[in-house]
Amino acid sequence: MSATGGSGFMAELLEVVADAVRRAGFPATTAIGRYPDADGDTVYVVVPHEYFVVTPEADRPSEEQRRRTIAFCVEHPGTATFERSAALVPELAAAVDINHDSTAELRRRGIPVEHFQLGYSPLWDAWGGDPDRAREVDVTYLGTAERRRSLLLASYDADLADLRVRLLTPPHEPMGPRRADFLPGEAKFAHLANSRFLLNLHRERSRALEWVRVLEALCNGCVVLTEPSTDLAPLVPGTHLVVTRPESLGAAAAALAADPQRERDLRMAGYEFVRTALDPLASAKMLVELAEGVLAASPGVPVGPPPAETAVDVVDAGPRPLAVDTPSWDVRFAGTRSLGAPARNPALATRMGQQTADARRTSGMDWSPSVVPAVFPDAGRAEVDVLLVRRPGEPDPEPLVRDLLTGTVLPRRILVGEDGVAPRPRPRAADLLRHELPLGRGYTRNRLLERSSAPWLLVLDGGMRASRRLLERLVAATDGADVVHCPVADPVEGLVGALPPEGRRLAELPYLGSGYLVRRAVLESFGGWTDDPLVDGLEDHVFWRRLAAHDRPSGLVQQVLLSRLRPDPAPRPVDLDPHRVWSLTRILAGAPAAPIE
């Protein structure tokens, strides 16, 4: 049984278990939603930490049905979901667990539980064992976002810079249909069969192996590189998979990518071991025996009348809950999470906005075309102009300009706006716009936009650094998209801006910022960036909300191609009057857009 509105991952796993039971010679079916009608020989199997939390109370099983229910536990100790499972299991008739560490911990707490050994499943195998099959992705990662994991993934950027990387880091919330950062079922298995290496990292305080993810990879010939785990057996490090310090996983993947024979040996050894030594049929038979014991302990127990509705297909359960740990792009303001306290100083926020408006009328501005000869004049250039704004407190953008001019693909032109910052008096390899006073990032970008001419614009901030493949990878992903972005490595949060734009998430959290490639026509249809002085610091949030509101297609390049120093902006109106400013971003984002010609 899977919960309506629950994780597609759990439904996939229970289908694999049901398939193993059927291959062992016993009847098994899967269903989604309320418990379906059943006869006296039926026993239910659920993942308790999800089913009993996601299912509405009115649709949960009766006491008699719970006495016919076996808990299928999948979470490791050291996680909040394990504790939720441990609290629910005693209410059910029996339990099995796929992990050795959680099996031992439940038994230590006096909860009877049997270990269910997962293994090879034909439902997972989209590869078939062909060692010469081409793979288009060098390194992949599949795991929900969490700060420890995020910091580690961000640290691999230099090691993996020249490889083809796809990091799928969806938020920690129920996932159902396919999306940019989540691949269900067959799409996931096809992706693993198309990937050379899988990076595996633990979540929260757990140090046990993520068995389902690892087995899915091995069944598809995707070589696993994992940090040390407490329950690797019977897998053998160095033979079936690679184990190294978490800080070294990126370097290890790069080294293996340069050793195809070693890669091939690991691929075939892992696949053959899972196929021959990890057959889950014995565990499937154990599950059937456990079910027989449940029936024997509850002879003649009625299972109640059939429910009003029996759901055997996934149905729309309404909006799914949003993860609470998705990082904000802004270092001090986190959308609705920051609205609990009263406004600190609304009058000062208004005064700051008025001061910026006044400065725009009086501040001097200078435009200085680059005096540096064209860098690599014979090199091909993308149809892209770079708009780069530096605000007070941000470092000199010269290193970022060098990154862009030494990349594998060069922009047509770089335009830098120094907004209230005195630039160093030296020749620049970029056209320079200087404001004597800080006039705002959106205002400065709009002035740069007026002087640019390329059909695509790469939007960056001061304090960023870029991979030499940044423009190459972003341009390659523009087919069918109006905006393309990538995760940005942050020294505190790890990865920020790593999710696709979603209207409902943007309504709660400013989680996307700069570091995107946008079609010029889209920006012009929005009238450029908002330059309202009150939304200082949230100009990109308004842009992303407009994009989502008008359903413009976007692309997410799932490789760390940008990093940033931790920004520390001066006090802004949003810091002083967050309720009013946050409401204003919603109004600005809802402005109608002109049609794109």
Side-chain angles (χ1 to χ4, degrees), residues 215-278:
L215 287 171
E216 288 174 340
L218 294 178
C219 284
N220 286 289
C222 184
V223 177
V224 174
L225 294 91
T226 183
E227 61 178 310
S229 306
T230 57
D231 61 341
L232 279 169
L235 295 172
V236 178
T239 300
H240 306 129
L241 75 174
V242 174
V243 180
T244 188
R245 294 183 304 112
E247 299 82 3
S248 302
L249 280 175
L256 269 179
D259 189 348
Q261 185 57 53
R262 175 72 173 135
E263 174 190 347
R264 183 187 181 101
D265 292 344
L266 285 162
R267 172 170 296 120
M268 299 312 299
Y271 182 71
E272 289 304 317
F273 181 78
V274 170
R275 278 179 53 85
T276 58
L278 292 182

Side-chain angles (χ1 to χ4, degrees), residues 72-93:
F72 195 87
C73 303
V74 302
E75 297 296 321
H76 291 290
T79 63
T81 44
F82 171 82
E83 295 301 331
R84 193 178 301 144
S85 257
L88 290 166
V89 167
E91 301 178 11
L92 307 179

Side-chain angles (χ1 to χ4, degrees), residues 29-66:
T29 60
T30 58
I32 298 175
R34 298 176 66 183
Y35 278 26
D37 188 17
D39 58 29
D41 291 332
T42 296
V43 173
Y44 305 93
V45 178
V46 301
V47 176
H49 82 268
E50 179 174 88
Y51 189 88
F52 291 105
V53 171
V54 175
T55 301
E57 187 171 356
D59 292 338
R60 293 175 191 170
S62 65
E63 180 179 352
E64 290 82 4
Q65 289 172 324
R66 291 197 300 272

Side-chain angles (χ1 to χ4, degrees), residues 179-343:
R179 43 182 275 166
D181 54 2
F182 176 75
L183 301 177
E186 293 181 1
K188 173 175 56 177
F189 308 138
H191 171 69
L192 289 169
N194 194 36
S195 300
R196 297 168 66 190
F197 306 107
L198 171 80
L199 304 181
N200 184 66
L201 296 168
H202 305 319
R203 182 162 58 87
E204 298 179 33
R205 299 187 308 277
S206 173
R207 294 298 175 264
L209 190 67
E210 287 69 16
W211 268 98
V212 176
R213 183 179 305 122
V214 168
L215 287 171
E216 288 174 340
L218 294 178
C219 284
N220 286 289
C222 184
V223 177
V224 174
L225 294 91
T226 183
E227 61 178 310
S229 306
T230 57
D231 61 341
L232 279 169
L235 295 172
V236 178
T239 300
H240 306 129
L241 75 174
V242 174
V243 180
T244 188
R245 294 183 304 112
E247 299 82 3
S248 302
L249 280 175
L256 269 179
D259 189 348
Q261 185 57 53
R262 175 72 173 135
E263 174 190 347
R264 183 187 181 101
D265 292 344
L266 285 162
R267 172 170 296 120
M268 299 312 299
Y271 182 71
E272 289 304 317
F273 181 78
V274 170
R275 278 179 53 85
T276 58
L278 292 182
D279 191 338
L281 294 190
S283 288
K285 293 175 182 177
M286 176 272 293
L287 184 62
V288 171
E289 292 170 0
L290 195 61
E292 291 172 344
V294 167
L295 291 174
S298 304
V301 172
V303 296
E309 296 181 8
T310 298
V312 295
D313 296 308
V314 178
V315 298
D316 184 4
R320 294 171 179 264
L322 293 174
V324 298
D325 53 356
T326 301
S328 174
W329 176 272
D330 192 275
V331 297
R332 289 204 298 260
F333 179 71
T336 56
R337 300 179 198 165
S338 298
L339 302 183

Side-chain angles (χ1 to χ4, degrees), residues 470-516:
L470 169 68
L471 202 49
E472 171 194 336
R473 298 282 162 81
L474 294 185
V475 169
T478 56
D479 187 25
D482 285 337
V483 181
V484 179
H485 74 289
C486 68
V488 177
D490 180 275
V492 174
E493 297 291 351
L495 299 181
V496 294
L499 302 179
E502 296 176 82
R504 68 187 189 115
R505 196 181 307 277
L506 289 165
E508 301 290 328
L509 179 70
Y511 66 94
L512 294 174
S514 62
Y516 51 88

Side-chain angles (χ1 to χ4, degrees), residues 334-384:
T336 56
R337 300 179 198 165
S338 298
L339 302 183
R344 289 167 52 194
N345 197 330
L348 179 56
T350 300
R351 194 156 59 248
M352 292 175 65
Q354 187 58 53
Q355 289 171 348
T356 300
D358 292 341
R360 291 175 183 174
R361 291 191 292 269
T362 61
S363 175
M365 59 179 68
D366 299 315
W367 180 257
S368 304
S370 172
V371 297
V372 177
V375 179
F376 308 119
D378 297 329
R381 306 207 173 231
E383 293 297 303
V384 174

